[in-house]
Amino acid sequence: MNHDDDDRHTDRRWLACDAIGQVAAFTTAGSGPIPHSALAAVDGADAGVEALPIRGAYRLIAHVGNAEDWISCAQSGLFAYDWSDIVADDGGYAYELLAVPLAPIRLPELPSPLREIAAATTIAHVVFGENDLLSRRLLPDTEFPA
């Protein structure tokens, strides 16, 4: 992932949990919205995710370019979404599901402080993996990266 803070299009990762306690990693592709509740922990999400052990197999949904980051997330039990130029039902862009863990991790199973980072943002009306696209209107209060 690109971590150049001077680059307006820095790819950032944030975490959230869904209605049943599953956890997903979202990457912004440099321009995707981030919920306000996830902004404070964006910097800590990468290191925590990269430290997770491999948990199991995954299913790759979509593949554009290098899929290593999304595969790594899914192997660790996280659903992996990336901001996409695909248009959702509401006419806006959306986070696209790229990789699905076959052994999803639940919020209580995450080590601290990663558990606190993911718990800060709950998308209560969504179950990860049920929809391939999550539009901005499905996310809690968001803002686009500056």
Side-chain angles (χ1 to χ4, degrees):
M1 238 179 247
N2 178 7
H3 294 288
D4 182 2
D5 291 331
D6 295 329
D7 184 357
R8 177 174 161 75
H9 300 290
T10 299
D11 199 7
R12 302 171 108 190
R13 180 182 289 153
W14 56 275
L15 302 178
C17 59
D18 68 5
I20 61 173
Q22 299 178 120
V23 181
F26 294 82
T27 51
T28 64
S31 61
I34 301 172
H36 288 275
S37 56
L39 279 172
V42 165
D43 293 332
D46 274 339
V49 168
E50 290 169 8
L52 288 172
I54 291 179
R55 186 177 169 90
Y58 65 92
R59 182 170 46 96
L60 194 60
I61 303 293
H63 176 47
V64 177
N66 186 344
E68 286 181 35
D69 281 339
W70 303 297
I71 290 170
S72 176
C73 284
Q75 286 178 318
S76 298
L78 304 173
F79 288 82
Y81 288 86
D82 190 40
W83 187 245
S84 175
D85 60 0
I86 291 177
V87 177
D89 292 341
D90 66 0
Y93 295 133
Y95 278 98
E96 180 180 11
L97 181 61
L98 299 183
V100 174
L102 298 186
I105 197 166
R106 303 275 180 165
L107 188 62
E109 299 172 271
L110 285 175
S112 185
L114 200 58
R115 181 176 50 249
E116 289 78 18
I117 291 171
T121 304
T122 299
I123 307 172
H125 51 280
V126 168
V127 174
F128 298 140
E130 287 188 355
N131 297 313
D132 288 349
L133 298 175
L134 292 179
S135 68
R136 185 176 184 192
R137 72 175 176 76
L138 293 175
L139 304 175
D141 188 27
T142 60
E143 75 177 47
F144 285 92

